[in-house]
């Protein structure tokens, strides 16, 4: 294990030569208004840890508190120039197994970037070429005269960001926990069929599962037959015409507008939630996102590091495949988790791919709620009707 860990340290130093933004430090521009990255090869912070028992045994009893110990992070130092924006932790299990934790600053990277970095590190460890070298460049700007006259205004999206920035979010003192559900391919297909909104519509796995958890969390939070406020976080690389290797935060958040009148019955409530998600995703086109980018660049507000404290946030991570990161031949990752910290507000739902054994449409849904609500969600009869595996539950 010591030799393998040494190889990881060597390969990490090699892969960092291709990720200059990761090794840089934050400084303000000459006007003192905007953050920029000074690529000075300062490196990343690397931490080692040792855990008792085996990885397999640990996974059988893991909860979110234990899992978060596999990730190291420090808040911004009062002198940002000396503060690392990326941290790596390598945790060894005494009886076999290894866990790799990566944490990074949202201003610089999103889950796609984190996955890309880990995959490149794994490729270098096995002596391979980096299959997805990062592309670090500014976001594209809208060409003058290229405005689409039929484009629907992005006023709602901009107003949502404006209200979020103006709202002071406070990290909740309520104790929260994260639970993980694994849905196999047949389970997801059954959910899609049940969520069908018209005879011709076919929801994506994300839309179906996001709608399912939106509806059930709304019930748990006591909203009657209605739906609580929710926003979705989507990767906009394809919409902006960027390569999937673009290294930067491309996650855009948008409010989902539902029928406040509520729905009768579980199936109608599910299909109504899914249709609301479909409608908002259809609106998020290139023109609208470019308008939002221009507004963010030109407005006088300073964006808050906390996205939202009033809505349930559902993140679509379907476009990533973390199980391709193999650090040793014949040993695929056993478990992959993602967290968006710090947690504020109502709750988080992350929908991401599962390991290949579950089928093409298999998904893992990670949900962060208060402990009491998480216990209720694990016992929800409608969710359990799809027979998901609970990979990480509650202590209760």
């Amino acid at each position: 294990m010591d030799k393998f860990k040494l190889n990881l340290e060597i390969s990490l130093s090699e892969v960092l030569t291709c990720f200059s933004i990761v090794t840089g430090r934050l400084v303000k521009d000459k006007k003192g208004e905007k953050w920029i990255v000074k690529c000075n090869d300062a490196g990343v912070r690397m931490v080692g840890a040792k855990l008792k028992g085996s990885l397999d045994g640990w996974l059988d009893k893991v909860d979110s508190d234990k899992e978060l110990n596999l990730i190291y992070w420090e808040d911004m130092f009062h002198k940002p120039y000396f503060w690392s924006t990326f941290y790596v932790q390598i945790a060894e299990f005494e009886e076999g197994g290894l866990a790799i934790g990566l944490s990074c600053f949202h201003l610089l990277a999103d889950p796609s970037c984190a996955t890309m970095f880990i995959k490149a590190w794994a490729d270098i460890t096995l002596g391979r070429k980096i299959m997805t070298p990062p592309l670090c460049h500014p976001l594209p700007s809208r060409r003058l005269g290229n405005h689409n006259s039929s484009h629907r205004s992005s006023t709602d999206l901009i107003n949502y960001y404006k209200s979020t920035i103006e709202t002071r979010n406070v990290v909740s003192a309520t104790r929260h926990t994260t639970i993980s559900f694994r849905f196999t391919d047949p389970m997801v297909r059954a959910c899609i069929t049940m969520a069908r909104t018209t005879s011709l519509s076919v929801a994506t796995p994300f839309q179906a599962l996001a709608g399912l958890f939106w509806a059930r969390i709304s019930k748990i939070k006591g909203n009657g037959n209605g739906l609580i406020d929710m926003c979705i976080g989507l990767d906009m690389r394809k919409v902006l015409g960027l390569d999937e290797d673009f290294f930067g935060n491309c996650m855009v958040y948008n409010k989902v507008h539902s029928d406040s009148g509520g729905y009768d019955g579980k199936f109608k409530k599910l299909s109504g939630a899914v249709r609301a998600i479909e409608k908002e995703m259809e609106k998020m086109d290139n023109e609208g996102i470019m308008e939002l980018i221009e507004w963010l660049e030109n407005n006088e507000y300073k964006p808050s590091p906390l996205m939202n404290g009033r809505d349930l946030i559902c993140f679509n991570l379907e476009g990533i495949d973390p199980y391709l990161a193999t650090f040793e031949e014949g040993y695929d990752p056993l478990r992959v988790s993602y967290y968006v910290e710090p947690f504020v507000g109502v709750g988080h739902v992350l929908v991401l791919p599962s390991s290949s054994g579950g089928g093409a449409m298999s998904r893992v849904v990670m949900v962060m709620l208060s402990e009491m609500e998480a216990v209720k969600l694990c016992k929800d009869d409608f969710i359990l009707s799809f027979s998901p595996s609970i990979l990480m539950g509650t202590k209760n």
Side-chain angles (χ1 to χ4, degrees):
M1 183 64 74
D2 289 340
K3 183 178 179 181
F4 181 64
K5 185 179 177 182
L6 178 60
N7 289 338
L8 286 178
E9 293 174 357
I10 294 173
S11 61
L12 177 61
S13 64
E14 292 180 13
V15 77
L16 286 174
T17 62
C18 299
F19 288 81
S20 56
I21 191 172
V22 173
T23 65
R25 293 295 182 264
L26 285 174
V27 296
K28 286 293 185 72
D29 61 12
K30 293 181 179 179
K31 295 182 179 180
E33 297 175 349
K34 295 183 179 181
W35 290 109
I36 60 175
V37 179
K38 184 172 183 179
C39 298
N40 56 359
D41 295 330
V44 301
R45 296 281 190 266
M46 190 172 187
V47 178
K50 290 187 178 294
L51 290 84
K52 295 181 179 179
S54 66
L55 175 58
D56 290 335
W58 184 86
L59 287 173
D60 288 339
K61 301 177 182 178
V62 67
D63 57 38
S64 59
D65 288 342
K66 291 180 180 178
E67 189 167 73
L68 285 169
N69 286 329
L70 301 180
I71 309 168
Y72 184 81
W73 179 249
E74 291 180 356
D75 292 331
M76 182 182 284
F77 191 58
H78 68 279
K79 293 183 178 180
Y81 189 74
F82 297 99
W83 174 71
S84 179
T85 56
F86 285 76
Y87 291 82
V88 172
Q89 176 171 308
I90 299 178
E92 301 177 67
F93 289 84
E94 291 180 349
E95 297 178 16
L98 193 76
I100 295 176
L102 172 69
S103 58
C104 54
F105 195 34
H106 297 307
L107 186 64
L108 300 181
D110 58 15
S112 294
C113 295
T115 307
M116 184 194 314
F117 179 77
I118 292 290
K119 176 64 169 62
W121 183 10
D123 289 338
I124 291 293
T125 302
L126 291 179
R128 301 170 180 168
K129 292 183 179 179
I130 297 178
M131 302 305 295
T132 55
L135 300 174
C136 301
H137 56 75
L139 290 170
S141 56
R142 186 166 54 177
R143 297 177 182 176
L144 296 176
N146 198 32
H147 181 76
N148 185 353
S149 58
S150 63
H151 166 70
R152 290 166 291 193
S153 174
S154 299
T155 303
D156 288 346
L157 181 58
I158 292 175
N159 286 341
Y160 181 60
Y161 266 75
K162 183 178 179 180
S163 65
T164 299
I165 292 171
E166 291 175 341
T167 301
R168 181 175 181 178
N169 293 317
V170 179
V171 178
S172 174
T174 304
R175 182 171 174 78
H176 291 80
T177 189
T178 300
I179 51 182
S180 296
F181 300 84
R182 183 172 182 263
F183 293 81
T184 62
D185 184 290
M187 299 173 193
V188 176
R189 292 181 187 275
C191 186
I192 290 173
T193 300
M194 197 175 293
R196 193 182 297 274
T197 55
T198 69
S199 59
L200 299 176
S201 68
V202 179
T204 66
F206 166 74
Q207 291 167 344
L209 291 172
L212 172 64
F213 280 86
W214 184 16
R216 303 318 292 169
I217 292 173
S218 295
K219 179 179 181 296
I220 289 171
K221 288 184 177 289
N223 206 45
N225 287 328
L227 294 166
I228 61 175
D229 291 336
M230 186 183 81
C231 75
I232 49 177
L234 307 177
D235 186 325
M236 290 288 104
R237 283 172 173 78
K238 287 185 179 180
V239 173
L240 292 173
L242 297 168
D243 292 319
E244 62 180 18
D245 307 332
F246 173 79
F247 199 91
N249 197 327
C250 286
M251 189 69 71
V252 175
Y253 300 84
N254 194 13
K255 181 91 170 185
V256 180
H257 300 277
S258 64
D259 180 1
S260 59
Y263 307 91
D264 295 325
K266 297 176 182 177
F267 303 125
K268 288 186 177 180
K269 190 171 184 179
L270 172 59
S271 61
V274 171
R275 184 55 191 151
I277 294 170
E278 289 174 336
K279 286 182 178 179
E280 289 308 318
M281 292 181 69
E282 289 170 0
K283 295 177 183 177
M284 297 178 72
D285 58 9
N286 179 279
E287 190 87 5
I289 302 304
M290 291 308 306
E291 287 179 5
L292 173 64
I293 292 173
E294 291 176 0
W295 180 84
L296 288 171
E297 289 179 343
N298 296 326
N299 78 82
E300 298 179 356
Y301 299 97
K302 295 183 178 179
S304 167
L306 310 181
M307 177 54 208
N308 188 291
R310 298 166 297 168
D311 303 335
L312 176 70
I313 308 178
C314 192
F315 301 86
N316 183 1
L317 304 184
E318 282 191 316
I320 61 180
D321 192 346
Y323 292 92
L324 294 176
T326 302
F327 284 85
E328 190 171 0
E329 293 288 358
Y331 292 92
D332 295 332
L334 292 177
R335 184 80 59 82
V336 178
S337 295
Y338 291 82
Y339 289 85
V340 180
E341 298 283 343
F343 175 81
V344 295
V346 176
H348 289 175
V349 177
L350 290 85
V351 180
L352 53 139
S354 177
S355 56
S356 57
M361 284 196 176
S362 62
R363 295 291 185 270
V364 169
V365 181
M366 298 185 65
V367 185
M368 180 177 283
L369 294 169
S370 71
E371 286 190 331
M372 185 178 298
E373 292 168 343
V375 170
K376 292 180 180 179
L377 192 66
C378 286
K379 298 177 180 178
D380 184 83
D381 59 342
F382 196 34
I383 290 178
L384 294 180
S385 69
F386 295 98
S387 303
S389 302
I390 298 181
L391 301 177
M392 183 168 64
T394 61
K395 297 177 182 178
N396 302 54

